[in-house]
Amino acid sequence: MRNTRNSTALRALLSALALTAALLTAVVAHPGATAAAAADPVRIMPLGDSITGSPGCWRSVLWNRLQDSGHTSIDFVGTLGPQGCGQPHDGDNEGHGGFLATNVAAQNQLPGWLDATRPDIVVMHFGTNDVWSNIAPDRILAAFDTLVGQMRVSNPDMKILVAQLIPMNPSSCAECAQRVVDLNSRIPAWAAGRTTARSPVIAVDQWTGFSTAADTYDGVHPNSSGDNKIAARWYPALASLLTPGSPDPTPTPTPPGGAGCGASVRTVSTWQGGYQAEATVTNNGASALRGWSVGLTLPDGEAITQVWNGVLTTTTGGATVGHVSWNGALASGASTTFGFIATRPGTAAPAARVTGCTAG
């Protein structure tokens, strides 16, 4: 009996040693396996209505542009699957045709979608059906508040891109075009008021340069030209979130402004050779502003390559950004924002500075 027990114990010991050796061999043969498993892809939820999901082919354009530029460790997520579009892409999404943002918030639908997909970033173009239904901007933005709160419950570090809606001009709704403008005029300030260092809310201008005549097939839904424009507007904002960088939340001191107009700029994110920044324009005067223009100075080697929520004019050693149609009028004490992408030499610190803010 003693010999049998010793033999059994010996076999068990040899088996354990063999298993350990096999595991060590696997680790040596594949040293990056553990790291690769830990480096989960960034999960991105496209959220909205039929513009996002039926079939929402801007998603396929955006996906392939991200892949082509090296952002390959990403996963588009959603409880809805691909709906065509004619090119390979990750088609998962949360674009529900006919849905209203106000209803999704009131009916508590988003938490279930978040639980099922666990996104790190939400890309949201939502509110078109609310506008069509003549729901006031206050109610739509209150629904956005609810949705943002639910996103942060799901992930306290959620990054949220919110679109200023593409224009709409359906034959059955003559008032819809202006309603979109009314909502869009509120979104930048709303986003700036909800953003935090941990969970930024970034307004992305999908309205400027988009034509309902040339870029939609029915005055509402994008055609292939519209898909390309939508993807082009999402790309820089999303790419900056996917590129490691150190946000600088400290705004540049506001220089004296003209007629109560003041401005500041802060760095949102940085990467090798570039950065994203956001400028806040504030009416510090007692009278309403009808428009504004912000001067920026840039050191040698820096250049602004893209602006949203503003109109860019480049100058030697700097740039000027003026208002667009929906954010020029500012009541006393009111603010609005515009964003920009800039290139920079090597690892130089972002150095765009406000030189002045002019009313008019």
Side-chain angles (χ1 to χ4, degrees), residues 230-246:
I230 293 172
R233 288 303 179 93
W234 283 130
Y235 174 80
L238 184 54
S240 70
L241 295 178
L242 296 171
T243 305
S246 301

Side-chain angles (χ1 to χ4, degrees), residues 9-354:
L10 180 59
R11 285 197 298 271
L13 177 60
L14 291 173
S15 296
L17 290 172
L19 177 60
T20 301
L23 291 172
L24 288 172
T25 299
V27 170
V28 171
H30 305 283
T34 302
D40 293 332
V42 178
R43 301 170 67 83
I44 303 166
M45 173 189 280
L47 173 64
D49 46 42
S50 59
I51 291 170
T52 296
S54 302
C57 289
W58 60 259
R59 292 181 288 104
S60 65
V61 179
L62 178 60
W63 168 266
N64 282 284
R65 183 170 180 181
L66 289 166
Q67 298 293 305
D68 292 344
S69 61
H71 297 292
T72 56
S73 186
I74 58 174
D75 182 11
F76 278 15
V77 299
T79 61
L80 303 176
Q83 297 169 326
C85 297
Q87 61 179 320
H89 70 288
D90 184 347
D92 296 331
N93 71 96
E94 215 63 72
H96 297 263
F99 278 36
L100 281 69
T102 47
N103 285 348
V104 169
Q107 296 169 13
N108 208 37
Q109 293 175 293
L110 181 59
W113 303 338
L114 294 168
D115 289 345
T117 59
R118 300 175 292 103
D120 304 298
I121 299 172
V122 172
V123 175
M124 186 172 88
H125 186 289
F126 218 172
T128 298
N129 292 306
D130 303 80
V131 168
W132 203 325
S133 301
N134 199 21
I135 294 174
D138 283 344
R139 284 185 57 198
I140 299 172
L141 294 177
F144 285 6
D145 281 337
T146 298
L147 299 179
V148 168
Q150 292 168 342
M151 293 173 197
R152 287 171 171 167
V153 169
S154 171
N155 181 352
D157 296 308
M158 189 76 78
K159 311 299 187 291
I160 306 161
L161 302 180
V162 179
Q164 290 174 286
L165 303 181
I166 62 173
M168 62 184 296
N169 190 25
S171 59
S172 58
C173 182
E175 300 82 10
C176 281
Q178 183 59 46
R179 292 176 193 163
V180 171
V181 172
D182 293 342
L183 175 61
N184 281 346
S185 69
R186 301 276 300 277
I187 288 176
W190 169 84
R194 303 306 182 273
T195 197
T196 67
R198 188 172 181 182
S199 175
V201 180
I202 301 168
V204 176
D205 178 10
Q206 291 287 358
W207 193 91
T208 300
F210 195 101
S211 166
T212 56
D215 300 321
T216 74
Y217 59 83
D218 61 356
V220 180
H221 298 90
N223 57 22
S224 60
S225 172
D227 289 329
N228 288 331
K229 287 186 176 182
I230 293 172
R233 288 303 179 93
W234 283 130
Y235 174 80
L238 184 54
S240 70
L241 295 178
L242 296 171
T243 305
S246 301
D248 177 7
T250 306
T252 303
T254 303
C261 180
S264 63
V265 64
R266 70 183 184 97
T267 303
V268 175
S269 60
T270 62
W271 56 91
Q272 181 74 24
Y275 64 96
Q276 178 184 342
E278 178 184 76
T280 300
V281 183
T282 303
N283 181 1
N284 296 316
S287 302
L289 295 182
R290 292 183 295 177
W292 49 264
S293 179
V294 175
L296 299 168
T297 184
L298 299 164
D300 290 343
E302 279 200 16
I304 294 177
T305 59
Q306 183 172 352
V307 167
W308 51 95
N309 301 335
V311 178
L312 174 67
T313 302
T314 58
T315 59
T316 302
T320 300
V321 178
H323 67 270
V324 289
S325 60
W326 62 76
N327 64 3
L330 293 177
S332 177
S335 297
T336 190
T337 62
F338 66 86
F340 61 89
I341 301 291
T343 58
R344 58 186 175 127
T347 57
R353 294 291 183 266
V354 172

